[in-house]
Amino acid sequence: MEIIIAKNAGFCFGVKRAIKLAFDTAKDYGKDVYTLGPIIHNPQVVKKLAEEGVNAVESSNEVSNGVVILRSHGVTPKVIEDINKNGNRIIDATCPFVKKAQRYATQLKDEGYQIIIVGDEKHPEVKSIIGYAGEGVIVTETGEGISELVRNKKVGIISQTTQSSANLLKVIDESLKSAREVKILNTICDATSIRQEEAQEIARDVDLMLVVGGRNSANTTRLAAICKEELDKVYHIEVADEINEEWFRGVNRVGITAGASTPDWIIEEIVHKLGAVNEKMEQNTIRRC
Ligand code: F3S
């Protein structure tokens, strides 16, 4: 059985940086270290961090006189104010690409643009950017119905870093129908699209695809959906223990990809387990002969 691992599987630059900062902070401070929300959508990493003394809290009001790590999605200026008010030290692990989107939001607001954010309004990153864009911001994923909202206005468009360029183009198209001026600041991060294209290519070429990552991770679920478009045997798993050797009967080529919040050690465990499955199946084959 041949195993093909996607080159860009697993942590993106921003997540890698955030995790490193969290473990370093645990070492430096030892106790009273918190993240606002889980640092990434991966229960195994969150558990490891908890063992090092870093726990997730839901609100900045839950911590005082401690150390608060901001995760890669970033937070609003109001949340930063609250953390400071409670006497906490901030370790900022906001991804630099998200920071750029936050900076652009402030810039467009100061220049008097009607801001449109292409993204999912419930996503923490978008919530953080809204905090910088101020009141009256429009959030949309497809641009549906916005041409009426921006008639004769000067419009500034930014985007959630993980949005597709197809969605950005739809919103630009809709805005151009009625806006007086349209300014676009491209804040899409290509780590996501590169990973998705690579997964799709591998899925076309294998008999079975393993997509590794937290079940609550939107980008992992999306990866699995993309692979599903190419072949039936796609399994979204979190850990090696979920692998069922029955899946691999008659399979010659296996592809592996992983979401942005999946650490290398989980991928390595899966490769290791596949090696054991492979060995067992070869032995079975010999016995049958
Ligand atoms: Fe940052 Fe891009 Fe990852 S925005 S958190 S490097 S997906």
Side-chain angles (χ1 to χ4, degrees), residues 195-204 226-227 229-230:
R195 192 182 302 104
Q196 289 176 350
E197 281 159 23
E198 193 183 48
Q200 189 172 34
E201 252 169 55
I202 295 174
R204 279 185 193 140
I226 287 170
C227 294
E229 285 166 16
E230 304 299 327

Side-chain angles (χ1 to χ4, degrees), residues 12-15 72 95-98 125 161-162 189-192 195 260:
C12 61
F13 153 78
V15 168
S72 56
C95 175
F97 297 126
V98 176
E125 177 195 321
T161 54
T162 48
C189 161
D190 55 12
T192 307
R195 192 182 302 104

Side-chain angles (χ1 to χ4, degrees), residues 234-251:
V234 177
Y235 297 97
H236 178 171
I237 57 172
E238 282 189 356
V239 290
D241 279 351
E242 292 172 51
I243 288 178
N244 178 343
E245 53 187 67
E246 288 303 315
W247 297 343
F248 302 92
R249 296 226 174 272
V251 166

Side-chain angles (χ1 to χ4, degrees), residues 6 8-10 191-200 203 209-213 217-230 234 236 256-262:
N8 293 287
T192 307
S193 57
I194 290 173
R195 192 182 302 104
Q196 289 176 350
E197 281 159 23
E198 193 183 48
Q200 189 172 34
M209 194 80 191
L210 293 177
V211 181
V212 189
S217 151
N219 80 83
T220 311
T221 310
R222 179 86 193 105
L223 273 181
I226 287 170
C227 294
K228 259 287 190 213
E229 285 166 16
E230 304 299 327
V234 177
H236 178 171
I256 302 178
T257 188
S261 46
T262 308

Side-chain angles (χ1 to χ4, degrees), residues 17 49 164 242:
R17 180 176 168 273
L49 269 175
S164 66
E242 292 172 51

Side-chain angles (χ1 to χ4, degrees), residues 52-268:
E52 300 291 318
V54 181
N55 289 297
V57 290
E58 283 314 311
S59 151
S60 48
N61 295 325
E62 291 175 49
V63 187
S64 53
N65 305 316
V67 181
V68 177
I69 303 166
L70 308 183
R71 55 190 180 168
S72 56
H73 300 316
V75 296
T76 64
K78 167 84 175 75
V79 170
I80 291 178
E81 199 186 302
D82 289 346
I83 298 171
N84 282 327
K85 225 190 294 169
N86 291 338
N88 299 299
R89 177 184 289 265
I90 292 178
I91 304 290
D92 191 355
T94 309
C95 175
F97 297 126
V98 176
K99 274 215 171 281
K100 188 167 78 176
Q102 294 173 339
R103 262 198 320 273
Y104 282 162
T106 307
Q107 181 192 322
L108 289 170
K109 182 177 70 176
D110 293 346
E111 290 171 358
Y113 282 90
Q114 164 63 62
I115 301 176
I116 299 180
I117 303 172
V118 183
D120 169 7
E121 63 184 340
K122 293 195 201 83
H123 193 281
E125 177 195 321
V126 174
K127 286 184 184 165
S128 86
I129 301 170
I130 293 172
Y132 288 84
E135 278 174 22
V137 58
I138 298 170
V139 184
T140 174
E141 276 192 280
T142 60
E144 207 186 316
I146 58 161
S147 65
E148 268 318 301
L149 298 174
V150 299
R151 184 166 298 283
N152 294 325
K153 290 187 179 170
K154 57 176 207 170
V155 170
I157 302 177
I158 47 178
S159 142
Q160 183 179 352
T161 54
T162 48
Q163 275 293 310
S164 66
S165 42
N167 277 1
L168 174 61
L169 288 172
K170 275 189 228 163
V171 175
I172 294 170
D173 258 7
E174 281 303 307
S175 306
L176 284 171
K177 286 182 187 165
S178 63
R180 175 161 49 93
E181 179 192 330
V182 178
K183 181 169 181 171
I184 304 138
L185 295 168
N186 186 3
T187 51
I188 291 179
C189 161
D190 55 12
T192 307
S193 57
I194 290 173
R195 192 182 302 104
Q196 289 176 350
E197 281 159 23
E198 193 183 48
Q200 189 172 34
E201 252 169 55
I202 295 174
R204 279 185 193 140
D205 211 32
V206 295
D207 306 311
L208 183 149
M209 194 80 191
L210 293 177
V211 181
V212 189
R215 290 192 214 292
N216 57 349
S217 151
N219 80 83
T220 311
T221 310
R222 179 86 193 105
L223 273 181
I226 287 170
C227 294
K228 259 287 190 213
E229 285 166 16
E230 304 299 327
L231 87 161
D232 285 338
K233 282 192 167 182
V234 177
Y235 297 97
H236 178 171
I237 57 172
E238 282 189 356
V239 290
D241 279 351
E242 292 172 51
I243 288 178
N244 178 343
E245 53 187 67
E246 288 303 315
W247 297 343
F248 302 92
R249 296 226 174 272
V251 166
N252 293 317
R253 285 161 76 80
V254 177
I256 302 178
T257 188
S261 46
T262 308
D264 286 349
W265 57 268
I266 289 190
I267 302 174
E268 278 157 24

